[in-house]
Amino acid sequence: MAIHRRRVIAAGVFLGMVFMLPAGQSWYEERSEQQASEELLSDACGGVLPEREARAILGGGPLDGKTDSARDEEGLGRKDEPLEAGCFVARKRPEKTYGFEQASVGVSLHGTRVPDGGEGGESERLDDPYPALYADTPAPLPGGWTGFFSIRDAPYEDRGTAAVFLDCVGDRRDLLVTVNVSVKDADFDDPAHRTRIGRLATATARNAAERWSCEARFGERLRTVPLPVADDEDVPLDEADGTCEGIPTRGRFLTRAWESDRAGAPQEKCSVGNSGGTPLYSLRAFYGPYATSARAAWEKRYSFVKTIPGRTPSGKLPEGGLWATATCPAPFSGETALFTVEPLGRKREKSTREEQAYERAALKAFAEASAEHHGCSAPRLP
């Protein structure tokens, strides 16, 4: 009888465990869902999404997701179509709840396109071929990585983007990894949150380099990731020592600057304005794949004009502003760097000669400083 009683007790405990699970789930169903989530993570993006770093953002709950691999078998060889793959993983919402995901991770993997100088071919076949082209005041990734972190305002939550560019040696296409993260009620003022996103991007880049045979230089494990400059974080223009260093004040009319630190990022931005807190000019630098993408965007936007911007070394933008170019060494030797200055809120036909002269002077100072910092040639200016 004692043996029989122990069996009954054990059976009762087991049944109690089963029926105490939420929403009537059985232990087997919960374990199956957990296994499915683990398999999803291990298979995502061709198996390059790092589980530890992804879980640090997504949490430990069940996951949904999908992988979109348009071209992931050819690798990074220049004779094949460039790598284009991605995946999206999100933490499941509780049943009977609606709205956006509690946390999500989207990853894009690209083998860079072979530039052709704008005469047809790869660089013209896609509109904006790389994600996160116009990052809002990108902050460069530290620790020897070539990349940046930026924040994009969304209707219900901010989203963080970390991009990592790897210069693959030999006859290989370079690799661009972009990670977009959204977490409900996340605070980007918390450096730990930004660092988790940066670590996910760098770890994914390492795995992708191994997966698609890209031999490249890696940075160190990130200890922190800088916060991009906010609208209220301007500094005196004549004291700027980052991306706005050396930009003229236009006779003291322009007094404030919104800038990031100058590192080896594949894109840079400087905004200048007055004491009212409103930027009046935006200056940008695009390197490597982002220069390719900027030209592709112009091909679409200005297809109606006689001379499409970017097809010549320098010139005027149809809606106001100027561009210049420079030739760069590795890691950006595959594409001519691109520099722009654009007036904000007004078009060129309404600008004065004095304003146009200032645009040239500002672009010259910005492009020369950025090109020198990246080891590029002297810019070809308009």
Side-chain angles (χ1 to χ4, degrees), residues 217-362:
R217 179 188 62 81
F218 301 128
E220 302 172 354
R221 177 174 170 80
L222 294 178
R223 296 185 178 181
T224 187
V225 171
L227 183 67
V229 177
D231 293 342
D232 59 350
E233 293 180 321
D234 50 314
V235 298
L237 178 55
D238 54 8
E239 297 178 12
D241 59 1
T243 53
C244 291
E245 184 176 9
I247 304 297
T249 60
R250 197 181 144 195
R252 302 298 302 173
F253 173 72
L254 299 171
T255 59
R256 311 300 295 180
W258 292 259
E259 63 174 358
S260 298
D261 290 335
R262 179 155 273 158
Q267 61 169 301
E268 295 181 338
K269 182 182 178 182
C270 160
S271 298
V272 295
N274 54 34
S275 57
T278 302
L280 299 177
Y281 292 94
S282 174
L283 298 109
R284 288 183 175 272
F286 302 100
Y287 294 90
Y290 294 104
T292 303
S293 197
R295 288 183 172 89
W298 284 349
E299 291 283 347
K300 179 181 180 180
R301 183 176 180 180
Y302 299 123
S303 59
F304 59 91
V305 302
K306 184 176 181 180
T307 303
I308 295 179
R311 286 192 171 184
T312 56
S314 62
K316 299 179 181 179
L317 293 172
E319 297 179 80
L322 306 166
W323 85 85
T325 58
T327 302
C328 301
F332 304 118
S333 53
E335 174 64 87
T336 302
L338 186 64
F339 311 94
T340 64
V341 58
E342 294 183 82
L344 303 176
R346 60 194 186 284
K347 294 186 177 181
R348 171 165 293 281
E349 56 265 25
K350 297 182 180 180
S351 63
T352 65
R353 288 186 178 181
E354 179 186 1
E355 289 171 333
Q356 294 176 25
Y358 175 78
E359 290 174 14
R360 290 187 174 87

Side-chain angles (χ1 to χ4, degrees), residues 91 109 119 123 133 142-143 175-176 192 202 222 231 239 264 267 289 295 309 314 323:
R91 189 169 72 228
L109 304 155
E119 298 300 329
S123 65
L133 168 59
L175 179 63
L176 179 66
T202 54
L222 294 178
D231 293 342
E239 297 178 12
Q267 61 169 301
R295 288 183 172 89
S314 62
W323 85 85

Side-chain angles (χ1 to χ4, degrees), residues 80-102:
D80 302 310
E81 286 292 310
L83 165 69
E84 184 179 341
C87 58
F88 177 83
V89 181
R91 189 169 72 228
K92 283 186 177 181
R93 294 190 298 269
E95 290 187 12
K96 298 182 180 181
T97 62
Y98 302 93
F100 293 89
E101 289 84 2
Q102 301 294 304

Side-chain angles (χ1 to χ4, degrees), residues 16-98:
M17 290 173 62
V18 171
F19 289 105
M20 285 174 62
L21 289 171
Q25 277 187 322
S26 72
W27 177 79
Y28 297 104
E29 289 173 339
E30 186 179 66
R31 184 177 181 186
S32 176
E33 191 171 47
Q34 180 181 354
Q35 287 179 330
S37 296
E38 292 173 354
E39 291 174 0
L40 188 154
L41 273 183
S42 62
D43 295 339
C45 283
V48 303
L49 191 66
E51 182 173 355
R52 181 180 64 177
E53 286 78 5
R55 279 296 189 183
I57 294 171
L58 296 170
L63 305 173
D64 275 330
K66 62 180 180 179
T67 291
D68 179 16
S69 299
R71 294 184 296 270
D72 67 348
E73 297 302 325
E74 295 86 353
L76 300 173
R78 285 178 173 257
K79 294 182 180 180
D80 302 310
E81 286 292 310
L83 165 69
E84 184 179 341
C87 58
F88 177 83
V89 181
R91 189 169 72 228
K92 283 186 177 181
R93 294 190 298 269
E95 290 187 12
K96 298 182 180 181
T97 62
Y98 302 93

